[in-house]
Amino acid sequence: MKKIIYTIGFILLIGIVTDSQLSAQKIINVGFGLGLSTPNDKLSDVYNSSRFPGLVEANQMFTEGVATGYHFGMKVRSPLNDNVTFVGGIGYNRFPQYEIKVDDPIADTTFFSLAVVSNIVPISAGLNYYIINDVIGIYGIGELAYSYIFSSIDYPDELYSYPIETLESDSRIGFGAGVGFDINFELLLVNIEAKYNNANLIGQVEDEETKSYVTFGLMVFF
């Protein structure tokens, strides 16, 4: 609980400082988007260079990327100056892990399948540093994130009445770093980002594996 309070306090502190610096500008952009989320150990399986030459290969890469993981979320942006922008956001990342099949040994058929899914919900605050900031923008990303991490089970509609429990959950502090690209169309701004994420840099218990993943996302800001 203390970690949650400290993290929320940190985000609020950045927000207060940002708001005081922006009192004359009053520029806040809100964006919504989605994209692929790929665990580090799956990167070589999904983003294979042999798939880039053609549309068929690219489509296969995208399909396998979605099967490995995806995300959606929202962000707010407030420029501090011409080169630095404050960014805060919340997202949801979903990583299907493995499938459990319940079989009928007599009839040699499958009754139903259960999918075990890992979920990460990050609440982030950080800065974008622009190398180019005009109609087209190119920037670097640095952020801290409080992540709520939990596992769940997906099961067929006919089993909704059965008491299947959600698995254990954790809360950790991590970070994100990457690059982004903006195209400004006046009424809206289209944004593409590639980012490395570590969800449990602070707060790991003994023998806990590092939870890291890469996101490729498309957002639209208004």
Side-chain angles (χ1 to χ4, degrees):
M1 181 60 68
K2 288 184 178 179
K3 294 176 183 176
I4 298 175
I5 295 172
Y6 291 156
T7 304
I8 293 174
F10 172 77
I11 294 173
L12 289 176
L13 177 60
I14 293 179
I16 291 170
V17 173
T18 301
D19 184 66
S20 63
Q21 294 186 16
L22 292 173
S23 58
Q25 293 177 288
K26 296 298 182 183
I27 299 174
I28 297 177
N29 300 116
V30 179
F32 302 90
L34 48 78
L36 301 179
S37 296
T38 308
N40 267 13
D41 59 349
K42 300 292 184 182
L43 286 175
S44 59
D45 296 336
V46 177
Y47 304 103
N48 192 314
S49 60
S50 64
R51 296 177 180 172
F52 285 95
L55 292 177
V56 175
E57 292 83 2
N59 181 66
Q60 181 183 359
M61 183 182 71
F62 176 78
T63 301
E64 292 188 10
V66 172
T68 304
Y70 60 87
H71 70 271
F72 56 86
M74 69 165 291
K75 292 182 179 180
V76 293
R77 284 180 169 186
S78 295
L80 301 179
N81 54 48
D82 290 341
N83 299 108
V84 181
T85 296
F86 168 79
V87 182
I90 183 169
Y92 171 76
N93 297 271
R94 174 184 169 90
F95 306 95
Q97 293 181 304
Y98 53 88
E99 186 178 45
I100 302 173
K101 293 184 177 181
V102 180
D103 298 327
D104 180 355
I106 298 176
D108 195 25
T109 59
T110 299
F111 281 132
F112 54 84
S113 297
L114 304 176
V116 178
V117 180
S118 179
N119 309 274
I120 299 178
V121 179
I123 302 173
S124 60
L127 300 174
N128 292 347
Y129 181 82
Y130 281 82
I131 302 170
I132 299 174
N133 192 6
D134 207 321
V135 176
I136 293 177
I138 300 175
Y139 59 89
I141 304 166
E143 66 182 26
L144 291 177
Y146 163 79
S147 293
Y148 176 60
I149 305 167
F150 65 100
S151 295
S152 58
I153 299 175
D154 287 356
Y155 45 91
D157 293 344
E158 60 268 22
L159 295 180
Y160 277 175
S161 59
Y162 288 74
I164 300 178
E165 296 184 359
T166 299
L167 305 180
E168 292 184 0
S169 62
D170 294 303
S171 299
R172 299 286 187 265
I173 296 175
F175 70 93
V179 294
F181 181 79
D182 289 341
I183 304 178
N184 195 336
F185 292 102
E186 296 295 337
L187 295 179
L188 58 84
L189 183 146
V190 177
N191 167 250
I192 300 172
E193 284 189 353
K195 187 171 59 176
Y196 170 82
N197 304 271
N198 182 306
N200 61 341
L201 178 67
I202 300 174
Q204 288 190 33
V205 297
E206 187 177 356
D207 297 327
E208 180 179 340
E209 295 184 359
T210 298
K211 296 178 174 64
S212 58
Y213 57 100
V214 173
T215 55
F216 296 93
L218 173 68
M219 298 198 81
V220 177
F221 284 86
F222 301 93

